[in-house]
Amino acid sequence: MTGTPAAGTAGLQVAVVVPAYNEQATVAEIVRRIHGAMPGATTLVIDDGSSDRTAAEARAAGARVGCLPFNAGIAYEEGFDAAVQVDGDGQHPPEQVPALLEVVADGGANYVIGSRFAERTGYRASLARRGGIAVFAGLVSRLVRQPLTDTTSGLRVVDRRALRVFAAHYPYDYPEVEAIVMARRAGLTVCEVPVHMNAREAGRSSITPLRSAYYMVKVSLAVLVQFMGRTPSPDEP
């Protein structure tokens, strides 16, 4: 394995979490690239009930494999300083993760989002998906009083204080949007870092038009409930 940690991140104990569903064509290469970009990181592939060889391919590439539900408490209890999420479909180049990790290592934020839209990168999505992304970005930005462009991004890094919050309570069903509100309600800092993302390399997305409609309604309601509820403090015992 090759690669050099970004400045300031060499001493971090990092867990890289890779959600994967029927990604046998890409997951092994993603794991190898993670190990190349972040030597010493622990890679955990979360197999979401795959019917193919996703789990076997991930293990063969050197990853630990777990099943849903995954509790952030595992990363917290095992003493990791930071946790990274990288999707298993090849859309998130692992080589960009060290730049997000460096923000956490420098104390710039507790929760760092890799944004496809903070800068013009040429990333293309369907009209329906772009509409949904814009709706959630507008809703969350208004609730947390901070402009955000990519609240549905699956490329994220959180530090140990954020892990402590998520260990106590973490949304399992489409968590990306709700987790941002939870983090801000807990007094954590959130920022975005521009990243380039690829089109899906293989397989099909599990989000169908019907599930997209369900997603819009469910997540919007969950975000509002989260905003009005109590969130654990990262400093509570």
Side-chain angles (χ1 to χ4, degrees):
M1 298 176 188
T2 61
T4 303
T9 67
L12 290 181
Q13 297 297 312
V14 179
V16 184
V17 180
V18 185
Y21 174 71
N22 287 344
E23 304 290 1
Q24 68 175 15
T26 58
V27 69
E29 178 63 18
I30 293 299
V31 171
R32 286 190 288 267
R33 287 171 63 186
I34 289 169
H35 291 166
M38 290 167 280
T42 297
T43 304
L44 175 61
V45 173
I46 305 300
D47 184 10
D48 188 10
S50 298
S51 58
D52 63 3
R53 288 182 49 81
T54 293
E57 294 290 336
R59 287 193 186 96
R64 290 168 55 182
V65 177
C67 300
L68 288 176
F70 171 75
N71 192 320
I74 295 174
Y76 181 76
E77 291 169 4
E78 291 192 10
F80 288 102
D81 300 308
V84 180
Q85 179 175 313
V86 176
D87 285 350
D89 57 13
Q91 293 193 72
H92 303 156
E95 294 78 12
Q96 297 190 72
V97 172
L100 279 67
L101 268 173
E102 195 159 10
V103 176
V104 166
D106 290 344
N110 306 112
Y111 188 126
V112 182
I113 304 164
S115 173
R116 297 162 285 187
F117 309 112
E119 294 180 355
R120 292 193 176 187
T121 63
Y123 178 83
R124 301 292 297 173
S126 68
L127 181 61
R129 180 161 291 196
R130 291 200 305 272
I133 291 169
V135 167
F136 288 132
L139 174 62
V140 173
S141 296
R142 185 175 295 272
L143 290 177
V144 304
R145 299 183 181 181
Q146 175 183 348
L148 296 168
T149 63
D150 199 359
T151 55
T152 63
S153 173
L155 179 57
R156 305 174 290 161
V157 177
V158 298
D159 71 359
R160 187 155 178 81
R161 294 187 77 221
L163 277 174
R164 185 168 190 167
V165 171
F166 295 142
H169 177 67
Y170 188 72
Y172 292 113
D173 192 11
Y174 305 116
E176 290 84 359
V177 181
E178 190 178 347
I180 296 170
V181 176
M182 184 183 298
R184 292 295 291 126
R185 291 275 292 165
L188 301 174
T189 54
V190 176
C191 78
E192 293 184 319
V193 171
V195 295
H196 294 263
M197 292 194 192
N198 304 316
R200 169 179 281 271
E201 292 184 2
R204 295 186 303 170
S205 172
S206 61
I207 302 178
T208 63
L210 183 60
R211 292 192 70 183
S212 294
Y214 163 77
Y215 177 47
M216 291 281 289
V217 174
K218 184 266 180 187
V219 175
S220 295
L221 291 174
V223 165
L224 293 173
V225 170
Q226 179 59 234
F227 179 73
M228 293 183 290
R230 178 185 179 276
T231 298
S233 166
D235 301 314
E236 288 180 358

